[in-house]
């Protein structure tokens, strides 16, 4: 039995308590400073407030002030914060984890740099640890997985990525179950880029749902031709961006496309895209979804900003990314939704 400490009581981090505890490990769930009510509820009811199923018996719950206790003898620490908690995790959690411990993060996202690079979060944390002279083994999870379906034990395929294959194998042995299937990859840039890129593109696909509702009524039947067309364009642009990231293994593209699918058909990004497609502006969407994190908006803007820098150097033509650039125009400049259908067409020679 291993000790697994999850820092961050959001839905995805908390969902991983299920396979971890069901495999017989000691599981400690630590709430951030924003999770106090969640941890209080878990202690009282044995259930996360947003789940419809109790945690497995034996999961232990800690407030942020008790994190040091929760980290004692931990073999694996799972970072369960959203992309908006990346800096907090870097400053407040990583330095307090003992050397030699494996760290597995569920946080998906990319940071853009002034020179147009797109860096997955594990790269930022790796740089932070090197500056601190710390020795932690960093790993990350990518793939199509929603928290509530993992809790429901729906068959789920993900990938663990990292720079240490033996550590990845050990992490897999701790968490794999009959319903949670784990591939392993040493291509951190590929896996993390693919699953982060899908966020902005999922928003673009969901625009079509809102556009059709605006045209035909909220109760109109779904129109799948338009969704499929934008899904295909999104996959094409993701492939181009991954090649620019230096990714060579197409398995990472498929991983991102799978994640794109599940993001389009459930969750906050879908709703944001629908509202935008109906004609609501970005500020209105943020008000409508008050309290809900929208990584998709942040990722799309960062990627588009980086691509403009790369385009100025002649490394890519923005005409290759019509969907991404239109999403950015909507989010950054308040442009109305006007999906550029003809810019998706091509002539194959």
């Amino acid at each position: 039995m291993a000790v697994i400490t999850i820092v961050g009581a959001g839905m995805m981090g908390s969902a991983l308590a299920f396979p971890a505890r069901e495999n017989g490990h000691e599981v400690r769930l630590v709430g951030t400073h924003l999770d106090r009510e969640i941890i209080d509820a878990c202690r009282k009811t044995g259930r996360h407030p947003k789940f419809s199923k109790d945690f497995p018996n034996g999961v232990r719950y800690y407030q942020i002030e008790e994190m040091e206790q929760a980290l004692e003898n931990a073999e694996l620490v799972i970072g369960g914060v959203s992309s908006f908690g990346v800096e907090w995790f870097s400053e407040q959690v990583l330095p307090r984890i003992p050397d030699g411990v494996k760290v597995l993060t569920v946080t998906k996202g990319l940071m853009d740099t002034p020179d147009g690079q797109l860096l997955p979060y594990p790269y930022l944390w790796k740089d932070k640890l090197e500056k601190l002279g710390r020795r932690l083994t960093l790993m990350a999870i990518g793939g199509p997985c929603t928290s509530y379906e993992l809790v429901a034990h729906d068959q789920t395929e993900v990938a663990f990525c990292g720079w240490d294959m033996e550590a990845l194998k050990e992490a897999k042995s701790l968490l794999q179950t009959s319903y949670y299937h784990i591939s392993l990859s040493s291509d951190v840039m590929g896996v993390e880029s693919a699953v982060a890129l899908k966020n902005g593109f999922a928003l673009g696909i969901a625009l079509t749902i809102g556009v059709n509702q605006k045209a035909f009524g909220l109760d109109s039947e779904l129109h799948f031709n338009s969704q499929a067309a934008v899904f295909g364009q999104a996959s094409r642009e993701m492939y181009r961006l991954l090649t620019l990231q230096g990714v060579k293994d197409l398995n990472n593209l498929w991983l991102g496309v799978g994640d794109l699918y599940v993001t389009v058909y459930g969750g906050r990004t879908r709703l944001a895209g629908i509202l935008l497609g109906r004609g609501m502006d970005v500020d209105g969407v943020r008000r409508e979804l008050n309290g809900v994190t929208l990584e998709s908006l942040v990722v799309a803007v960062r990627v588009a900003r980086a691509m403009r820098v790369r385009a100025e150097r002649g490394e890519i033509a923005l005409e290759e990314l019509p969907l991404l650039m239109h999403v950015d125009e909507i989010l950054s400049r308040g442009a109305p939704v006007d999906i550029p259908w003809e810019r998706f067409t091509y002539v194959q020679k």
Side-chain angles (χ1 to χ4, degrees):
M1 179 182 74
V3 175
I4 299 176
T5 300
I6 303 169
V7 180
M11 293 177 68
M12 184 54 72
S14 298
L16 287 168
F18 284 77
R21 182 59 187 155
E22 288 163 5
N23 281 343
H25 305 302
E26 180 178 336
V27 178
R28 304 167 180 173
L29 179 62
V30 184
T32 71
H33 54 293
L34 301 176
D35 297 332
R36 292 188 182 282
E37 293 182 2
I38 293 175
I39 294 300
D40 284 343
C42 291
R43 285 173 167 173
K44 291 177 183 177
T45 67
R47 178 183 295 188
H48 191 286
K50 293 188 177 180
F51 292 162
S52 59
K53 183 177 179 180
D54 292 346
F55 282 109
N57 289 333
V59 175
R60 299 164 65 182
Y61 312 102
Y62 297 77
Q63 295 288 5
I64 188 62
E65 293 82 8
E66 303 167 308
M67 183 171 68
E68 300 285 355
Q69 178 185 350
L71 289 172
E72 288 182 9
N73 302 315
E75 181 176 332
L76 176 67
V77 174
I78 297 175
V81 300
S82 75
S83 62
F84 299 105
V86 166
E87 186 173 346
W88 177 86
F89 192 85
S90 174
E91 297 294 332
Q92 301 298 324
V93 180
L94 283 179
R96 298 162 74 177
I97 300 173
D99 279 346
V101 174
K102 293 182 287 294
V103 179
L104 178 68
T105 174
V106 304
T107 314
K108 302 174 182 178
L110 295 164
M111 285 287 192
D112 64 309
T113 66
D115 64 350
Q117 293 187 71
L118 290 168
L119 298 177
Y121 297 145
Y123 280 79
L124 304 177
W125 289 335
K126 185 180 181 182
D127 181 63
K128 171 77 172 181
L129 291 172
E130 288 176 353
K131 290 178 179 176
L132 292 174
R134 300 296 312 285
R135 293 179 289 104
L136 300 177
T137 302
L138 293 177
M139 302 172 288
I141 305 176
C145 176
T146 60
S147 56
Y148 49 90
E149 292 188 7
L150 180 60
V151 169
H153 294 185
D154 190 30
Q155 295 295 321
T156 302
E157 295 268 357
V158 299
F160 287 5
C161 64
W163 292 278
D164 185 331
M165 185 55 68
E166 289 307 311
L168 290 170
K169 291 177 181 177
E170 291 174 17
K172 176 177 178 175
S173 72
L174 296 176
L175 293 174
Q176 68 178 341
T177 67
S178 61
Y179 61 88
Y180 192 53
H181 310 282
I182 303 165
S183 298
L184 302 178
S185 174
S186 58
D187 184 4
V188 180
M189 179 63 77
V191 172
E192 288 295 279
S193 294
V195 299
L197 287 171
K198 57 83 184 176
N199 275 313
F201 289 113
L203 184 78
I205 297 165
L207 292 175
T208 66
I209 304 172
V211 168
N212 283 323
Q213 289 179 347
K214 182 178 180 181
F216 302 108
L218 297 183
D219 296 326
S220 63
E221 62 184 35
L222 287 174
H223 294 217
F224 292 104
N225 279 2
S226 52
Q227 290 185 60
V230 181
F231 191 100
Q233 180 64 27
S235 302
R236 185 187 305 165
E237 294 185 27
M238 285 176 63
Y239 173 74
R240 180 66 183 95
L241 290 166
L242 286 175
T243 61
L244 197 63
Q245 288 284 85
V247 176
K248 308 236 187 304
D249 187 352
L250 278 180
N251 281 316
N252 296 317
L253 173 61
W254 311 141
L255 190 74
V257 169
D259 206 351
L260 177 65
Y261 180 92
V262 79
T263 305
V264 170
Y265 286 101
R268 54 211 176 196
T269 296
R270 173 186 174 90
L271 179 55
I274 290 173
L275 293 174
L276 288 167
R278 289 179 189 168
M280 187 178 291
D281 63 20
V282 176
D283 291 336
V285 170
R286 290 196 175 98
R287 287 193 296 270
E288 184 76 15
L289 301 181
N290 182 39
V292 176
T293 56
L294 284 173
E295 290 96 335
S296 54
L297 276 63
V298 176
V299 169
V301 170
R302 287 176 179 169
V303 175
R305 186 165 56 208
M307 290 308 102
R308 287 193 173 91
V309 174
R310 304 288 284 270
E312 288 179 0
R313 294 204 298 264
E315 297 173 19
I316 190 170
L318 296 182
E319 291 75 15
E320 299 177 72
L321 306 169
L323 178 58
L324 171 68
M325 302 317 295
H326 183 53
V327 169
D328 180 57
E329 289 169 359
I330 295 168
L331 300 180
S332 300
R333 304 176 186 179
V337 174
D338 185 15
I339 298 172
W341 298 107
E342 275 302 309
R343 290 165 61 192
F344 298 168
T345 62
Y346 62 93
V347 177
Q348 187 168 3
K349 299 178 181 179

